[in-house]
Amino acid sequence: MTILAVPSGWRTGAITAVTEWHSPSRMTAAGLRLAVHLFLVVCLWHALYAGTTVSAGLTEAQAVTYAVLAVLIVRPRANDRYSARDTVIQHINFGTIVYWFLRPLPARRYYFFRAAGDQLYGLAWALAGYLVCLAAGVLDPPPSAGAALAFAATFALGQAVTYYLLLLTDQLCFWTIKNSSAVDIMMFTQNLLSGAYAALWFFPGWFQALSAALPFQATINVPLSFYVGRLPVSELPGQLALQGFWVLLLAVLTRFLWTRAAGRVVAQGG
């Protein structure tokens, strides 16, 4: 009943959290999956450093810390909206996407509140996981207060870039008919080029140059590189300017695509 007292947009943002809260089995399964994922990642990176102390400018402790934090940052993308049939690709296939454009709440705002709620709920899981891992000594704290502030600033802007990249992926569904493969490819590309699978410092120079010209690394690799001390704090202004550029560019692009999306609505199944 408390949710009904807040504005409709924010009620929309609370859908995922309320749904999970009323399904303890799903929350338990999500917690177990996250714990197993973290355990396997820690084991993997300790094994990779068994024969060396420094690789790509990262010590074993830095590499493990980076990998654990990457898993936690990606956690918001693991929210299960597919089983509730509330993904953009499903709405387009079922024909129910038309209702997004008939509600009093505009489709663009509905998407924002829904996605923002998902991100906040996922970040709550990430914060809980971070505190547990930090207390257990699985990862290290930032090397300095400056590194912590640099991480916090770039992480906040990185979340904005993440929102627009995920929105852009969903908007792609309005222009493709058989779009599940395209969405999978886009998600894999985002994870690979953002540093979710491994820090970009481990990749060849040409790959790092390619990723530097794209917005993906601003979501994970840049914040975590500050956190582990791989990037000096002196580079913060330049990185913030670059992230701000991507946020502005993606905001303009996605807003333009929203104005064109209504004319592309096709009911394939509904």
Side-chain angles (χ1 to χ4, degrees), residues 88 92 101 167-179 182 253-266 268:
V88 173
I92 290 179
F101 297 89
L167 170 57
L168 195 60
T169 301
D170 282 335
Q171 287 178 323
L172 173 67
C173 298
F174 287 98
W175 278 265
T176 56
I177 302 301
K178 299 296 183 181
N179 42 30
L253 175 59
T254 54
R255 188 178 181 88
F256 169 74
L257 291 178
W258 270 128
T259 63
R260 303 291 301 275
R264 299 290 305 181
V265 174
V266 176
Q268 298 179 29

Side-chain angles (χ1 to χ4, degrees), residues 16 20 26-27 29-31 33-35 37 68-80 118-119 121-127 129 159 220:
T16 296
E20 295 287 322
R26 293 178 63 177
M27 292 190 67
R33 284 197 303 270
L34 181 60
H37 194 175
V68 169
L69 289 175
V71 171
L72 294 174
I73 290 179
V74 174
R75 174 58 185 78
R77 305 181 194 177
N79 293 323
D80 184 17
D118 280 1
Q119 279 187 270
Y121 175 70
L123 289 175
W125 273 97
L127 178 60
Q159 287 300 294
I220 295 179

Side-chain angles (χ1 to χ4, degrees), residues 92-191:
I92 290 179
N93 288 336
F94 299 147
T96 51
I97 192 68
V98 67
Y99 297 115
W100 282 28
F101 297 89
L102 298 177
R103 294 170 177 158
L105 188 67
R108 180 169 60 87
R109 290 186 61 196
Y110 174 82
Y111 184 95
F112 169 77
F113 284 115
R114 194 75 170 88
D118 280 1
Q119 279 187 270
L120 289 174
Y121 175 70
L123 289 175
W125 273 97
L127 178 60
Y130 171 78
L131 294 176
V132 171
C133 290
L134 188 63
V138 175
L139 52 77
D140 293 337
S144 67
L149 290 174
F151 164 75
T154 53
F155 175 75
L157 274 178
Q159 287 300 294
V161 176
T162 297
Y163 164 76
Y164 284 116
L165 289 174
L166 294 177
L167 170 57
L168 195 60
T169 301
D170 282 335
Q171 287 178 323
L172 173 67
C173 298
F174 287 98
W175 278 265
T176 56
I177 302 301
K178 299 296 183 181
N179 42 30
S180 57
S181 297
V183 171
D184 290 342
I185 292 172
M186 287 288 291
M187 294 303 297
F188 172 79
T189 301
Q190 287 186 36
N191 287 333

Side-chain angles (χ1 to χ4, degrees), residues 6 54 84 108 110 155 160 170 181 202 221 228 230 242 269-270:
V6 296
V54 178
R108 180 169 60 87
Y110 174 82
F155 175 75
D170 282 335
S181 297
F202 291 103
N221 193 70
V228 302
R230 184 61 175 79
L242 185 58

